[in-house]
Amino acid sequence: MGKIPVWNPAIEFIEREALEQLQLARLRQTVEWALKTPFYHQRLTEAGLTRPEDIASLRDVRNIPYTTKDDLREAYPAGLLAVAPEQAVRLHTSSGTTGMPTVIYHTRRDIEHWTELVARCIVATGATARDVFQNMTHYGLFTGGLGLHYGAEQVGMLVIPASSGNTHRQIQLMKNFRTTVVHATPSYLLHLYEVLVNDGMTREQLCLRKAFIGAEPHSEQTRRKIEELFGIKAYNSYGLSEMNGPGVAFECVYQTGLHLWEDAYILEMIDPRTLQPLPEGETGEIVMTTLQRQATPLLRYRTRDLSHLMSGHCPCGRSHRRLARITGRSDDMLIVNGVNLFPSQIEEALMKIPEVGTNYLIQLEKRGSMDRLVVKTELCAKLFMGDRQTLDDLRERIGERLRSAILVKPAIELHQPGSLPVSEGKAQRVLDLRPAF
Amino acid sequence: MGKIPVWNPAIEFIEREALEQLQLARLRQTVEWALKTPFYHQRLTEAGLTRPEDIASLRDVRNIPYTTKDDLREAYPAGLLAVAPEQAVRLHTSSGTTGMPTVIYHTRRDIEHWTELVARCIVATGATARDVFQNMTHYGLFTGGLGLHYGAEQVGMLVIPASSGNTHRQIQLMKNFRTTVVHATPSYLLHLYEVLVNDGMTREQLCLRKAFIGAEPHSEQTRRKIEELFGIKAYNSYGLSEMNGPGVAFECVYQTGLHLWEDAYILEMIDPRTLQPLPEGETGEIVMTTLQRQATPLLRYRTRDLSHLMSGHCPCGRSHRRLARITGRSDDMLIVNGVNLFPSQIEEALMKIPEVGTNYLIQLEKRGSMDRLVVKTELCAKLFMGDRQTLDDLRERIGERLRSAILVKPAIELHQPGSLPVSEGKAQRVLDLRPAF
Ligand SMILES: [Zn+2]
Ligand SMILES: [Zn+2]
């Protein structure tokens, strides 16, 4: 691999102890900023936190109440603004398609910090000022476009602000300017490849070497598919608008989990049901506290994104811990007889069984005081013709596979191909028939 | 008016003599940069210009050949790149909808210079860091979005990167964040007002004070209409992608013509037919030479935009000369018996005559060796009922009005309302029936 590419060695290789001291100092500063907002002034006072000094150690972050998406909605438009309006130079709002919008403000220094985080991410993948970077994500209020744009410009890449859409033109730009790095959603890159092939072109006519993929959940198989189709490396990007946007966590050249910049965020993993901290390695909800954002500090924000912290050290030597790929959203979490599980875990296990078809349904029922989990799955066409014993064996095998994945053994129903309901648009995979309280 | 708002007093109030010295030094530097490009190396060598010192005085700019849009197309994608690719941090391409695309590259310093020019424009209108700026133009390869965005961020305004479209959301953002300044095309602002009124809102529910309008030709009446509807001031912006984009020329608080930043551009006005320089005050084609852009220097670029230089001094005291509103494109120029005229001149004169309806047609014919100009115009509904004498008088009056506007007396045909052909989309106003050579 040679020398590890790095943007800011002093902070990226910082010793854990120094990092934690920095986090504590910045957490106190953030609490001071937060107390200037109407929202946190009330919330923190109720929790007995009225001065930055009330945070004696990093562990005291746990004395701070959680902040939720609903809190952000209620504080819209100015309840979380911690500076005078004339100190803010930017705001980004969520689209508000699923309810009231939310807004994050930035001072000039906030933008500089955000830009630095994105620059670190870009350089961690081995990209340099010699790369030609085509940014295929939407520019504007959506943070993906401007976020990567500023970081790439900071690094000194040749930035093509292509924005989203117009695939033929994207390909033309890639050819004409010998684009080496793109930023896009994984599904858009798969679509672009189809258009490329339909236009009678091959990947050899491009100079592409890397893709930054994010903004939608995707599996490791999808990443590998993109890498194989284009003959490139694809790096996972994690960000969310409440934490600026892109630049929160990114894979380095080793592609073994996403380094989360802990000088900028305090990371906690919690059980989304009990809200208790989880030990390293256990899957739970990511909770983050901003450490550098003056205009809109957020304390213990419940991201609703699910992941786990990876143990051990990355070969790159960065001291910032790594998140595993996002596996779902805590909104999706099912509780079955007290056990937390996620539809994505069931899907992942099912899709590893060759006999299983593409459609399945998860059904929850109540039997007396107990929950009952039923997984209905179609079989591949040629396999449904098996005799009764074969099908019984298969049912047992699927049940055991799922038990080892989710710690609950569901009842398995096998269905003919094409017999389960098909949804238009986003698939409805879960049917919860349990009575509400 | 009080104190004149200004971003960079040293350069905006610079003495003409010092400005011209600066222009000469920068012109030489620009020629040196240009000689590094394949395109200009050949073009300038043919013209006997092989060293910056060959430019002895500012007047020597006239020894440099013109550069045209077609030159840019032929030089695409890298024939006009004057730096090593890794020194470029941005490129913007034209859409290429009307032919081959064109491209302009920027170094980091080029972007800084562009940003400074836009900041000067914004501050010249009286806008400050206390303003909330909603940028309603498209972000991405189109230069209007990112150009104004960077300038506004430099000034320290609170920038809402709304991008174009979604009018209901634009209005919501304007209300929620008390937007004081918007950037949009004039036609979009008129549309937004309609939506506002249709939604049962009034301008009093907004905090709007200023609009920056550009990116499409518009009349003084349109500007005044925007000002009256919203109860704001609207400032004309002039820019073109070949000269970065916005930031070329802008109105100051006095709204008497657009100051063109002459430390960044050498401005010439030429007769688009003879290519000879025009005296101050005469309408012709704007020709510009970049003075600060290292990555893609352009020498004597024929913008095809028509305007004239305003005489006298602006009350604001800026020494940079003022362009009048753009009146059309040299592509549109008609030559009638050796006289240059533009459809826009005819339209402007016609629209001042109350009896004239909304549709008209300009027709050119050949009678022997002479050109014949016919202007066909519809009359307002209630007026076409007049007697023969009334119509004859009106025809004579229209002919005289046009003669004083265009120095040619056309034949006038009066038509019933609704009788002239109506085009879908962009109106076809000119029918040239003269045989081609
Ligand atoms: Zn690493
Ligand atoms: Zn002025």
Side-chain angles (χ1 to χ4, degrees):
Chain A
M1 183 60 68
K3 197 170 170 302
I4 292 294
V6 57
W7 177 254
N8 186 342
I11 200 74
E12 295 180 46
F13 298 132
I14 189 172
E15 299 285 338
R16 289 298 304 181
E17 200 179 327
L19 177 58
E20 285 171 13
Q21 280 173 14
L22 188 63
Q23 285 187 312
L24 178 58
R26 288 183 176 170
L27 175 59
R28 286 178 175 153
Q29 171 70 77
T30 296
V31 167
E32 190 178 338
W33 290 333
L35 284 165
K36 295 181 199 292
T37 68
F39 172 81
Y40 278 121
H41 191 271
Q42 184 187 347
R43 180 71 61 98
L44 293 178
T45 304
E46 283 166 8
L49 292 164
T50 55
R51 302 165 311 158
E53 307 84 74
D54 292 338
I55 305 290
S57 75
L58 262 189
R59 272 187 68 92
D60 288 350
V61 74
R62 295 190 188 164
N63 301 333
I64 300 174
Y66 293 112
T67 305
T68 65
K69 184 94 170 174
D70 280 340
D71 290 331
L72 265 61
R73 288 182 175 133
E74 278 163 35
Y76 181 90
L80 276 160
L81 176 60
V83 297
E86 59 267 29
Q87 283 184 266
V89 301
R90 179 95 66 83
L91 66 79
H92 284 274
T93 66
S94 68
S95 64
T97 45
T98 55
M100 272 285 283
T102 61
V103 58
I104 301 293
Y105 296 87
H106 301 268
T107 66
R108 190 183 302 280
R109 290 201 60 202
D110 293 343
I111 296 284
E112 286 166 5
H113 288 143
W114 178 12
T115 299
E116 141 102 19
L117 297 180
V118 177
R120 287 188 211 167
C121 295
I122 291 170
V123 169
T125 69
T128 72
R130 305 185 72 90
D131 277 298
V132 178
F133 174 65
Q134 193 165 326
N135 194 3
M136 298 180 176
T137 43
H138 181 71
Y139 279 64
L141 290 167
F142 173 68
T143 55
L146 283 171
L148 257 294
H149 177 94
Y150 272 58
E153 189 165 284
Q154 180 79 71
V155 170
M157 305 170 94
L158 172 48
V159 180
I160 307 176
S163 193
S164 52
N166 202 339
T167 309
H168 288 285
R169 190 176 179 199
Q170 299 277 10
I171 294 172
Q172 215 53 51
L173 291 167
M174 289 172 83
K175 261 182 69 178
N176 292 339
F177 299 107
R178 302 172 164 274
T179 299
T180 55
V181 182
V182 294
H183 174 223
T185 60
S187 56
Y188 187 69
L189 282 183
L190 293 173
H191 169 70
L192 188 141
Y193 188 81
E194 274 179 34
V195 174
L196 185 83
V197 170
N198 285 342
D199 285 0
M201 290 177 63
T202 66
R203 71 189 199 193
E204 283 73 24
Q205 292 171 267
L206 305 178
C207 303
L208 199 63
R209 296 193 302 121
K210 290 180 171 67
F212 303 152
I213 53 177
E216 70 185 15
H218 59 280
S219 64
E220 183 61 21
Q221 287 94 317
T222 298
R223 182 241 288 269
R224 293 298 165 209
K225 187 165 182 188
I226 289 169
E227 294 195 324
E228 283 157 24
L229 290 175
F230 287 97
I232 61 171
K233 288 281 176 194
Y235 299 88
N236 287 326
S237 161
Y238 174 62
L240 62 164
S241 61
E242 296 85 353
M243 295 291 133
N244 294 344
V248 175
F250 227 79
E251 286 186 326
C252 72
V253 289
Y254 292 100
Q255 297 182 304
T256 53
L258 296 83
H259 291 283
L260 186 135
W261 304 118
E262 294 183 82
D263 60 313
Y265 306 99
I266 290 176
L267 175 65
E268 296 174 84
M269 298 296 283
I270 64 166
D271 180 318
R273 194 174 49 109
T274 66
L275 307 187
Q276 290 308 301
L278 289 173
E280 191 175 275
E282 279 195 32
T283 294
E285 178 177 345
I286 302 169
V287 168
M288 278 195 274
T289 297
T290 62
L291 292 177
Q292 290 189 291
R293 198 170 62 206
Q294 185 171 7
T296 311
L298 286 185
L299 303 173
R300 302 192 90 200
Y301 180 69
R302 290 189 57 185
T303 67
R304 301 183 298 177
D305 289 323
L306 299 168
S307 177
H308 66 267
L309 271 171
M310 301 182 69
S311 59
H313 297 282
C314 181
C316 76
R318 282 179 181 82
S319 47
H320 301 248
R321 288 178 298 171
R322 288 166 298 157
L323 279 177
R325 164 191 307 285
I326 305 300
T327 54
R329 315 230 348 129
S330 62
D331 306 355
D332 305 331
M333 189 178 75
L334 305 173
I335 306 174
V336 179
N337 296 323
V339 176
N340 302 343
L341 58 91
F342 296 93
S344 60
Q345 294 174 285
I346 296 175
E347 169 167 334
E348 203 185 337
L350 279 180
M351 292 304 138
K352 285 183 185 151
I353 303 169
E355 291 90 345
V356 162
T358 55
N359 204 359
Y360 68 93
L361 186 68
I362 298 163
Q363 189 167 304
L364 287 154
E365 305 163 356
K366 205 80 181 175
R367 285 279 170 93
S369 63
M370 295 296 285
D371 297 319
R372 182 166 184 259
L373 173 66
V374 184
V375 173
K376 305 179 177 195
T377 178
E378 293 180 4
L379 293 186
C380 291
K382 58 177 184 232
L383 285 157
F384 196 69
M385 300 300 136
D387 60 31
R388 188 183 176 97
Q389 186 59 43
T390 310
L391 291 179
D392 282 349
D393 290 352
L394 180 58
R395 193 179 295 114
E396 180 61 20
R397 191 144 48 88
I398 294 173
E400 280 306 316
R401 284 278 191 103
L402 288 177
R403 194 217 316 251
S404 70
I406 60 176
L407 310 179
V408 170
K409 186 165 177 185
I412 305 294
E413 283 184 14
L414 301 180
H415 290 258
Q416 290 195 38
S419 61
L420 288 177
V422 176
S423 345
E424 291 293 318
K426 198 168 150 61
Q428 278 292 336
R429 300 294 199 189
V430 179
L431 194 61
D432 195 338
L433 303 173
R434 295 174 294 183
F437 297 101
Chain B
M1 182 59 70
K3 198 169 171 301
I4 292 295
V6 58
W7 178 254
N8 185 341
I11 200 74
E12 295 180 48
F13 297 131
I14 190 173
E15 299 286 336
R16 289 297 305 181
E17 200 178 326
L19 177 58
E20 285 171 15
Q21 280 171 14
L22 187 64
Q23 285 187 311
L24 178 58
R26 289 183 175 172
L27 175 59
R28 286 178 175 153
Q29 171 69 260
T30 296
V31 167
E32 190 177 335
W33 290 332
L35 283 165
K36 295 182 199 292
T37 69
F39 172 82
Y40 278 122
H41 191 269
Q42 185 188 345
R43 181 71 62 96
L44 293 178
T45 305
E46 283 166 8
L49 290 164
T50 56
R51 301 167 312 159
E53 307 83 76
D54 292 337
I55 304 290
S57 76
L58 261 189
R59 273 188 67 94
D60 288 350
V61 74
R62 294 191 188 165
N63 301 333
I64 300 174
Y66 292 111
T67 304
T68 65
K69 184 94 170 174
D70 281 340
D71 291 330
L72 264 61
R73 288 180 175 136
E74 280 162 36
Y76 182 89
L80 276 160
L81 177 60
V83 297
E86 60 266 30
Q87 282 184 267
V89 301
R90 178 95 67 83
L91 66 79
H92 284 274
T93 66
S94 67
S95 64
T97 45
T98 56
M100 273 283 284
T102 60
V103 57
I104 301 294
Y105 296 88
H106 300 269
T107 66
R108 191 182 301 280
R109 290 200 61 202
D110 293 343
I111 296 284
E112 287 166 6
H113 288 143
W114 178 12
T115 299
E116 141 101 20
L117 297 180
V118 177
R120 286 187 210 167
C121 294
I122 291 170
V123 169
T125 69
T128 73
R130 304 185 73 89
D131 277 298
V132 178
F133 175 64
Q134 192 165 327
N135 194 2
M136 297 180 177
T137 44
H138 181 71
Y139 279 64
L141 290 167
F142 173 68
T143 55
L146 283 171
L148 256 294
H149 177 94
Y150 273 57
E153 189 164 283
Q154 180 77 74
V155 170
M157 304 169 94
L158 173 48
V159 180
I160 306 175
S163 192
S164 51
N166 202 339
T167 309
H168 288 284
R169 190 175 178 199
Q170 299 278 10
I171 293 171
Q172 216 52 51
L173 291 167
M174 290 172 82
K175 259 182 69 178
N176 292 339
F177 299 107
R178 304 171 164 273
T179 300
T180 55
V181 181
V182 294
H183 174 222
T185 59
S187 56
Y188 187 68
L189 282 183
L190 291 173
H191 169 69
L192 188 142
Y193 189 81
E194 274 178 37
V195 174
L196 184 83
V197 171
N198 285 342
D199 285 0
M201 291 178 62
T202 64
R203 71 189 200 194
E204 282 72 26
Q205 293 172 268
L206 305 178
C207 302
L208 199 63
R209 295 194 301 121
K210 291 180 169 66
F212 303 152
I213 53 177
E216 70 185 15
H218 59 280
S219 63
E220 183 61 20
Q221 286 94 318
T222 299
R223 182 242 288 268
R224 293 298 164 208
K225 188 165 180 189
I226 290 169
E227 294 195 327
E228 283 159 24
L229 288 176
F230 286 97
I232 61 171
K233 288 282 177 193
Y235 299 88
N236 287 324
S237 161
Y238 174 61
L240 61 164
S241 61
E242 296 86 352
M243 295 291 134
N244 295 344
V248 175
F250 226 80
E251 286 185 327
C252 72
V253 288
Y254 291 100
Q255 295 181 304
T256 55
L258 295 83
H259 290 282
L260 186 135
W261 304 118
E262 294 185 82
D263 60 313
Y265 305 99
I266 290 176
L267 175 65
E268 297 174 84
M269 298 297 283
I270 64 166
D271 181 319
R273 192 172 50 108
T274 65
L275 308 187
Q276 290 308 301
L278 289 172
E280 190 174 278
E282 279 196 29
T283 294
E285 178 178 344
I286 302 169
V287 168
M288 278 196 276
T289 297
T290 62
L291 292 177
Q292 290 190 291
R293 198 170 62 205
Q294 185 171 6
T296 310
L298 287 184
L299 304 172
R300 301 193 91 198
Y301 180 69
R302 291 189 57 186
T303 67
R304 302 184 298 179
D305 289 322
L306 300 167
S307 177
H308 67 266
L309 271 171
M310 301 182 69
S311 59
H313 298 282
C314 181
C316 75
R318 284 179 180 81
S319 47
H320 301 248
R321 288 178 298 171
R322 288 166 298 156
L323 278 177
R325 165 189 305 284
I326 306 300
T327 54
R329 314 232 346 134
S330 63
D331 307 354
D332 304 331
M333 189 179 73
L334 305 172
I335 306 174
V336 179
N337 296 325
V339 176
N340 302 343
L341 58 90
F342 296 93
S344 60
Q345 292 175 287
I346 295 174
E347 169 167 334
E348 201 185 338
L350 280 180
M351 292 304 141
K352 285 184 184 150
I353 303 169
E355 290 90 345
V356 163
T358 55
N359 205 0
Y360 68 93
L361 186 69
I362 299 164
Q363 188 167 304
L364 286 153
E365 303 162 357
K366 204 81 182 174
R367 286 280 168 93
S369 64
M370 293 297 285
D371 296 321
R372 184 165 182 261
L373 173 65
V374 185
V375 174
K376 304 178 178 195
T377 179
E378 293 181 2
L379 293 187
C380 290
K382 59 177 183 224
L383 286 156
F384 196 71
M385 299 299 138
D387 61 30
R388 188 183 178 96
Q389 186 60 43
T390 310
L391 291 179
D392 282 349
D393 289 352
L394 179 58
R395 193 180 294 112
E396 179 63 21
R397 191 143 51 87
I398 294 174
E400 280 306 316
R401 283 278 191 103
L402 288 178
R403 195 218 314 254
S404 69
I406 59 175
L407 311 178
V408 171
K409 187 166 179 185
I412 305 294
E413 284 184 14
L414 301 180
H415 290 257
Q416 290 196 37
S419 60
L420 288 177
V422 176
S423 343
E424 290 291 317
K426 199 171 151 57
Q428 280 291 338
R429 299 295 200 189
V430 179
L431 194 61
D432 195 338
L433 303 174
R434 294 174 297 182
F437 296 101

